[in-house]
Amino acid sequence: MAKFLIPSDGRTAAAVIGDPVMHSLSPTIYNAAFVYDQVNWSYSAVNVTTEQVSDVLQEIRQPGVGGLSVTMPHKETVANLVDETTPHAERLGAVNCVSKNGGTLVGHNTDGKGFIKAIEAETNEGAKGKSCLVIGAGGAAKAVALALGEAGASEVIVSSRNASKSKKAASLAGKVGRSGSLLEAEKVDVIINATPIGMRGTGNEKLLPLPAEAMHKGQIVVDLIYHPLQTEFLKSASRIGARTMNGIGMLIHQAALQYTLWTNKEAPLDVMQAAVIQQISK
Ligand code: NAP
């Protein structure tokens, strides 16, 4: 069997698998934390095809491998290959982290909890009792909708260009979830962009997922995008007087949850954040 993960220098291996994955910021984030905490682990980004994923899952059963992060397009494949999934990962049908519990591979999804921790840390309020509009209905939108429902949001409206996907994502929020329209943005407390509109390298960096006029002062406006750190959407929201949050908080907090699952240590959030911002700002 091909070897994907085990480093030759005796350190415990961890990695993110995806396709493509070479531009992943995860090695920067985790290796900064391992060095700071003096944990003898090393983390790499490994490009694997869908056909290779089951071999990787066999490999992480071996001693010397500590854990695995999973990114596109393998989150659903891994959910079907691990021995157990957490209720969150089960409901999403997607795994972004694999931990080892004895001989058992456990699949987690830390995206939604990472989002909630980030919004709590950055707004000092969190989502409880708030009406929220989630724009987009893909993997991130689903994780956020599920987490918002669990965190006690009063309403979770999902709007995307595909009505059936919106409905499915909104259903994850439970009875407070429903599909809706961008026209409802004006009346909500929190607006979340969970589409790639505005992301660097997509050709639509200048576009907004929602017209600026639809936002107002006092709202919390979140862009899950972290590259660039300030999208045109966040710049417009700031000009209007809304409180804004970029995707770095969710990125760091979901990674911190994975770090703790693997090492049983509290993650050095500031170190991880500084490392990733330095990398993005290069
Ligand atoms: P995804 O599964 O591909 O979903 C993307 C969603 O955006 C889908 O609903 C898609 O609609 C919609 N969309 C894409 N292009 C669009 C366009 N031009 N106009 C309207 N809608 C469009 O992607 P994802 O994994 O959910 O990621 C979404 C965003 O969140 C990305 O920017 C990603 O970088 C970010 N993200 C951030 C974090 C973090 O930690 N901060 C974590 C995960 C994701 P269709 O289904 O119709 O194509």
Side-chain angles (χ1 to χ4, degrees):
M1 192 200 304
K3 289 259 182 280
F4 294 95
L5 309 178
I6 297 176
S8 54
D9 60 5
R11 285 183 288 170
T12 300
V16 54
I17 58 164
D19 188 12
V21 78
M22 284 314 160
H23 294 297
S24 170
L25 293 165
S26 295
T28 299
I29 295 171
Y30 291 105
N31 286 323
F34 292 146
V35 169
Y36 179 82
D37 274 346
Q38 300 186 341
V39 173
N40 197 26
W41 285 43
S42 107
Y43 188 105
S44 53
V46 184
N47 207 105
V48 301
T49 63
T50 301
E51 293 69 38
Q52 292 170 323
V53 172
S54 60
D55 281 352
V56 174
L57 274 259
Q58 285 310 315
E59 190 179 339
I60 66 172
R61 293 181 188 277
Q62 296 171 21
V65 183
L68 192 70
S69 307
V70 183
T71 190
M72 301 298 282
H74 301 321
K75 292 182 180 184
E76 289 81 10
T77 306
V78 172
N80 289 318
L81 289 173
V82 288
D83 303 322
E84 286 176 10
T85 43
T86 62
H88 246 226
E90 177 81 36
R91 288 196 64 196
L92 293 168
V95 158
N96 75 340
C97 169
V98 181
S99 68
K100 293 164 77 171
N101 182 7
T104 305
L105 298 185
V106 185
H108 309 257
N109 195 306
T110 62
D111 278 336
K113 281 191 185 143
F115 170 78
I116 296 295
K117 281 185 173 287
I119 199 167
E120 283 172 356
E122 294 190 32
T123 68
N124 287 325
E125 291 181 37
K128 193 171 169 59
K130 299 245 176 7
S131 55
C132 306
L133 172 68
V134 181
I135 307 171
K142 285 198 266 188
V144 165
L146 172 60
L148 284 170
E150 288 184 350
S154 61
E155 191 169 30
V156 179
I157 304 165
V158 179
S159 173
S160 81
R161 60 188 178 184
N162 180 315
S164 73
K165 286 187 187 174
S166 299
K167 212 170 160 189
K168 198 169 170 200
S171 72
L172 290 160
K175 60 181 191 317
V176 298
R178 65 175 174 84
S179 66
S181 131
L182 293 182
L183 297 172
E184 300 183 76
E186 206 181 345
K187 64 171 194 194
V188 300
D189 303 314
V190 185
I191 301 171
I192 300 135
N193 175 34
T195 77
I197 299 169
M199 185 155 75
R200 185 155 301 160
T202 57
N204 60 24
E205 292 86 343
K206 293 282 172 208
L207 301 181
L208 307 188
L210 179 73
E213 311 79 70
M215 300 182 275
H216 60 77
K217 193 174 174 179
Q219 286 178 312
I220 296 172
V221 175
V222 182
D223 202 329
L224 298 189
I225 293 171
Y226 44 79
H227 204 186
L229 294 169
Q230 290 299 311
T231 56
E232 291 302 318
F233 181 48
L234 289 189
K235 286 183 196 165
S236 303
S238 268
R239 280 194 290 270
I240 286 162
R243 286 184 285 167
T244 62
M245 174 178 136
N246 66 17
I248 288 288
M250 173 171 168
L251 179 70
I252 295 301
H253 281 278
Q254 65 78 27
L257 291 164
Q258 297 197 30
Y259 185 86
T260 301
L261 285 165
W262 298 331
T263 64
N264 277 325
K265 283 175 170 286
E266 201 172 316
L269 286 165
D270 291 348
V271 171
M272 295 162 96
Q273 178 155 326
V276 79
I277 288 178
Q278 189 185 26
Q279 180 70 24
I280 289 176
S281 308
K282 271 182 187 168

